[in-house]
């Protein structure tokens, strides 16, 4: 209700600030008897972990997750799962200088306007550090969904540079620091992002997340639609400014006759001849791949000076000298996957509740 | 929970099918002592009402709303408000022919896959007729927000034809059948849409909704963000495939230095020098205009034949002969405004709950 | 959230005032393909209907329910079910006289204190007339639960007169105007209540509701316990002041050794040797009968004058001359049954969601 | 939803098992700028802490709470508050012997029936150890309510022995190990409970919790009534079997004329001449003291052997040799106070949301 919970039946609630002692979450509604151990979660946290290459922030966090409850002898018990990650590399002093400043593009001003107080150290609660808990909860979501459903994400645009979709190769994504499915573009991005980084600037990105194996029938019309919940999930990730399902924005320019995904029978099953719908019609899954894209704005923390004001109403210039990602979109890939997993796990249980 | 409610504190729950006896909703959480009468709601329903010109469906519905509870002597009492609209022009026989067919692009197949049953008459519950209740609830949302907040929507793209933003004139929107803020483009669209209609096809659109006067501080991070709730609200409208806040998708191509909305003081108040954020940072309103855009796919009901299958697994061709909108995006304008009002009214009360 | 909805997955939202044009509710989360028609609901409304004998209010309401959505060709479709009952016998003028008075024991003062406005006609929203919608929703709850679960209620105490539990005969309950399972006591009550009625006073009662056939395993610890939800459901019924599960209040006086429900095996199944637990342990059903009791205070509307004040702060005497029940507890029997059905249907679906 | 969260706007979610590494909770919806530190919470945990005298379990737990987030420089920030208590005295081996047994009166069987798995160590999640988090969250609830609202609990009945209400002295409650407000009865209970303890048996109790200073107007009819929420809150506490508001069960035996709380004016304010309503009418607070009582069954863990079965369907005898409370009702006093605080804090914010 007050904003720190996500989901309805499969539901997690997170807490923790960028520079507090720890971050964590409680994951509720997990079916019993699912095998779950820390490595099941850790593998996804490791994908999101900072400091792995020169293209992400140099903050050193092992992000080691501990399961504190809800699992007994290697299996979920159906009770709430407490997860905890200790913060290790808090350089709070880095932030003393900007204590009273409102950094442009950040939530500094809005938190202050809303609450009349803010933890300025690294963005406090508004820090993207919170996304570690999304990834952890999403890992549990994947266990609920089981092996029949595969969720993968990729960076499909960095700054103005889009991948060539004809060259899409899922196997390429772990081979480059960008989760780029187009090997050629990945190389190009390397030079491009080095340039951005050295100029003290940052750049935006577009991420695509695809879920295969989702059966038809998941999603609760009219206000719990699968696409509406995915839109909320993705738009809620730090720095996201747009969400598309299937053809997305381009659907506006199509005619009905171009846009319609025609159907035929194949081996006794319905087969769609295209997927402009992105696997969702009327808010309910069609059985096709669920396809979601979201745009991440450029990192707001940049070395270049920008005009701002402070808490005292004084006009200032802000330059961010801390450790930051030149393209936060990269680390948003595992976060987007996790949110897809969280939404689908919830809808799997919601569908089972009503329809058996 | 099962999908027919929207909002948390300001919350409405709708019911009704396209060809049932009536549609309605219950609006809960409305503050007491707000003056409210049927015309307050009717004026917005009239904007959405079908059959007003040749560019919308010819179904004749007066959409006359009745307030059945929650208002006493012209004022809200704080108890639940029951609203009801009787369906008048149900030609259910029109649908006998497509009883067993899955119309491409419609929710026919997914409802059937989910529930094992569907009311095929005019799409049943999945019909855009339900959006009348969104408009009605949104009208009450506006009353909660008061006169200080102005919500307006406009069609900014029809098919491939975008408006010229330099020519934006809010006063133009009621003067053409498209809610187009660019008078010149409105004329162009007229010819374009006539062509689309005559060809038996349909076309998509992009709608922009702007809320002025929202104070800074509304929105509940981390999972009840104002932008996430708006994304869910808009993506949940029938036929919507993409949602953008502020710079939206284009933010991906910007650098951090281009994207940052710089701040200065003006008359003792903070002033932003641009609004790429669309009035929201960290999920909380900045005090600037809230700017949301969403893309509507082309109407799925078209005269042109499309390949499909039926409930018996037989391959068929589907042609829709009923009364339909060549561009449903047009009637989505008042619906988008209503969803903006519903989200803002809810967040106004949520903010007041926590922050006084 | 704002109080007009009950349940989580099986969830209904009600609206309407005692003297408005109609009352109604929306029932959401109903599984599809359940056969449902108006008589399924009407039979339970008829049990609660006023004016059936001299021991209930003489207000004449047929309480004819209409299903306006969510059912197609005799079966539920999984979408929201709109129900409506028109008010027929509104004598609002009866209430002009008490327009500004706060009737002792009623919600007049508290509604006014909370909302600053109240619909004084027959108690407005606070009227027990709203319980018709509980009964209607409960009837749908029973359909979800199916024939394997039987829910029955009985009046076990009227004023100071308790039934003899040794004489309990479920078949007796429909044979007397009190739903009394003890035929002898029913006769005694007749004289007793006639006396109360003639004296212009009223009297309280205790109702017991029993659900047979509930399988072990329903209920969500720690805060969605089956007994906690039943307590909320029953305490929320108008005029209820106490709720007990199983041994209830008497459990306080027992020793652990007396209270423990021992277990043995019978025909390969667990059998409990007593049911002090009332069928619930740790918030989860044991498979035994679910036993709930609740106490209803005496009707607050009485002919005898009582001291009070009015909205202007003037000291007054209040005498209620309208049509009222000398023992509202009687009509609370079908309401208690309905709330049991609503809670169980919700927990059936909640259990299925998490545990399959 | 899946049961580990309590409240709506002021909402906490707990996790942890009796013999896991730690227990904790996340408290959400707390208004910003409230001064909060660990001692504010610790003082209430200390009241509930085991091992303080011979009448409570000898398990040694310091129950030291840590605030891990949501507080910055001594003040709440409006973001989620993470709380953690490490378990110190886990003698899990004590429980090896009863690993497969279903202890009568405990949740062993029902958890196993529901989930197909259970953490048998000290009751796992069903342990009353979880109530520490209720107390912690309740302490924060008190801070939200402020000094104007005083919440106090007392044991008013132990086994068959009730206090003499004429001797009620709030100052006496901290002076005896039972929170008994009747000094004479406290002495009598000492001997009584020693006898119970030595016999290897246990005994039930009744607790009364009173909140002073609650203004009129809190509570959300029809399904979020203050009394319904209190009933849920108290019934959900481990071992509770009955909840009463005001006159409670005795209201059933009263006449309307006896039960009515008459009103008069005093110093320009409404004054009630009695409080049978327990401070709540129509689900909304009247401004009088809120009075709730609840009955706790005798501790199910007793030395005396009881008939049971095990997970293999074998008939067994169960004797509990662990460390246990002869009367768990004693430690339920601070838990009841905490639940009162949690419900009131939530309703304070809910009221503010809708009514400003």
């Amino acid at each position: 209700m007050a904003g720190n919970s996500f989901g309805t039946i499969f539901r997690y609630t997170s807490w923790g600030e960028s520079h507090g002692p720890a971050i964590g979450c409680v994951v509720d509604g997990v079916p019993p008897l699912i095998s779950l151990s820390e490595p099941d979660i850790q593998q996804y946290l490791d994908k999101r972990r900072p400091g792995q290459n020169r293209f992400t922030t140099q903050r050193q966090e092992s992000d080691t997750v501990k399961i504190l409850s809800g699992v007994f002898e290697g299996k979920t018990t159906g009770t709430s799962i407490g997860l905890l990650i200790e913060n290790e590399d808090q350089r709070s002093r880095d932030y003393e200088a900007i204590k009273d400043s409102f950094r442009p593009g950040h939530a500094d001003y809005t938190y202050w306007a809303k609450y009349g107080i803010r933890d300025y150290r690294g963005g406090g609660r508004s820090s993207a550090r919170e996304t570690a808990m999304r990834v952890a909860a999403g890992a549990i979501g994947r266990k609920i969904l089981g092996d029949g459903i595969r969720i993968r994400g990729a960076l499909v645009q960095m700054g103005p540079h889009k991948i060539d979709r004809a060259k899409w190769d899922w196997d390429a994504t772990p081979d480059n620091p960008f989760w780029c499915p187009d090997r050629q573009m990945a190389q190009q991005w390397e030079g491009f992002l080095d340039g951005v980084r050295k100029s003290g600037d940052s750049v935006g990105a577009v991420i695509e997340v695809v879920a295969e194996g989702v059966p038809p029938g998941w999603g609760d019309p009219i206000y719990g639609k699968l696409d509406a919940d995915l839109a909320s999930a993705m738009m809620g990730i730090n720095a996201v400014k747009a969400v598309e399902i299937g053809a997305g924005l381009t659907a506006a320019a199509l005619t009905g006759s171009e846009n319609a995904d025609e159907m035929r029978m194949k081996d006794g099953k319905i087969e769609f001849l295209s997927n402009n719908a992105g696997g969702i019609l009327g808010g309910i899954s069609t059985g096709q791949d669920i396809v979601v894209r979201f745009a991440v704005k450029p990192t707001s923390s940049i070395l270049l000076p920008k005009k701002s004001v402070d808490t005292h109403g004084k006009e200032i210039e802000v330059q961010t000298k801390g450790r930051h990602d030149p393209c936060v979109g990269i680390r948003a890939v595992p976060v987007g996957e996790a949110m897809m997993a969280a939404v689908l796990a919830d809808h799997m249980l919601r569908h089972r509740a009503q329809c058996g």
Side-chain angles (χ1 to χ4, degrees), chain A:
Chain A
M1 185 49 227
N4 296 289
S5 297
F6 185 85
T8 52
I9 294 178
F10 172 71
R11 179 179 182 91
Y12 71 95
T13 303
S14 83
W15 55 268
E17 282 90 39
S18 181
H19 288 62
I23 56 173
C25 70
V26 194
V27 185
D28 206 359
V30 180
L33 296 170
I34 293 176
S35 80
L36 183 72
S37 62
E38 281 147 359
D40 290 326
I41 301 170
Q42 196 63 50
Q43 61 177 313
Y44 295 104
L45 285 167
D46 288 348
K47 286 181 71 173
R48 179 203 157 279
R49 189 154 53 82
Q52 305 197 70
N53 56 56
R54 71 182 184 279
F55 301 113
T56 58
T57 169
Q58 295 308 303
R59 179 171 173 171
Q60 293 300 327
E61 293 287 352
S62 71
D63 280 351
T64 306
V65 70
K66 284 184 211 156
I67 299 176
L68 295 178
S69 71
V71 176
F72 186 60
E73 298 179 342
K75 292 206 154 51
T76 57
T77 61
T79 65
S80 52
I81 299 175
L83 300 179
L84 188 126
I85 293 174
E86 282 173 53
N87 287 330
E88 295 163 355
D89 187 12
Q90 312 118 277
R91 300 200 200 150
S92 306
R93 277 160 310 166
D94 286 9
Y95 295 93
E96 275 296 321
I98 55 145
K99 198 179 147 156
D100 299 322
S101 309
F102 298 134
R103 296 168 298 163
H106 277 288
D108 297 347
Y109 170 62
T110 53
Y111 269 66
W112 183 83
K114 181 177 190 69
Y115 299 118
I117 181 175
R118 70 183 177 99
D119 176 353
Y120 55 81
R121 302 164 308 163
R125 180 72 180 147
S126 74
S127 166
R129 178 136 189 76
E130 191 274 342
T131 60
M133 300 329 303
R134 298 177 185 243
V135 171
I140 297 178
R142 287 184 198 252
K143 295 290 287 190
I144 295 172
L145 293 168
D147 293 336
I149 291 176
R150 179 142 78 157
I151 296 166
R152 290 183 293 191
L155 207 74
V156 298
Q157 180 181 338
M158 181 186 284
H161 307 292
K162 299 185 186 183
I163 62 156
D164 177 354
R165 299 185 74 91
K167 296 206 181 105
W168 192 295
D169 175 9
W170 276 116
D171 292 338
T173 58
D175 292 349
N176 63 72
F178 312 114
W179 312 108
C180 178
D182 169 351
R183 289 181 196 276
Q184 222 166 304
M185 184 52 73
Q187 282 190 321
Q188 223 176 296
W189 285 355
E190 206 153 320
F192 170 69
L193 196 57
D194 266 332
V196 167
R197 190 168 54 88
K198 282 170 192 160
S199 71
D201 212 334
S202 66
V203 79
V206 177
I207 288 95
E208 182 163 320
V209 180
V210 179
E212 296 165 70
V214 177
W218 291 5
D220 280 335
I222 302 295
Y223 298 102
K225 286 179 175 172
L226 189 52
D227 39 4
D229 282 1
L230 286 168
S232 164
M234 301 307 174
M235 192 67 91
I237 298 172
N238 306 47
V240 172
K241 300 305 286 183
V243 180
E244 301 185 296
I245 307 286
L249 210 51
T250 65
L254 298 177
T255 61
S257 130
E258 290 161 343
N259 181 63
D261 297 318
E262 297 188 301
M263 288 174 262
R264 277 293 170 248
M265 296 302 294
K266 194 183 172 183
D267 307 330
K269 287 186 141 182
I270 284 175
E271 188 193 42
F272 287 87
L273 307 184
S274 55
N275 191 13
N276 286 315
I280 304 173
L281 284 173
I284 302 173
S285 61
T286 62
Q288 287 196 285
D289 287 359
I290 309 282
V291 181
V292 181
R293 266 181 317 283
F294 57 94
V296 176
K297 71 179 184 184
T299 318
S300 296
S301 299
I302 51 176
L303 287 169
L304 305 176
K306 303 301 291 182
K307 290 175 194 156
S308 188
V309 299
D310 68 13
T311 54
H312 312 294
K314 217 185 88 189
E315 300 197 334
I316 56 172
E317 299 255 293
V318 171
Q319 254 182 300
T320 310
K321 287 170 184 154
R323 306 154 297 176
H324 293 283
D325 298 271
C327 174
V328 275
I330 300 169
R331 286 171 62 214
V333 175
V335 179
E337 290 176 358
M339 294 314 289
M340 173 73 91
V343 170
L344 290 178
D346 190 29
H347 273 284
M348 173 184 148
L349 303 184
R350 286 160 74 169
H351 178 67
R352 185 159 81 180
Q354 194 186 2
C355 298

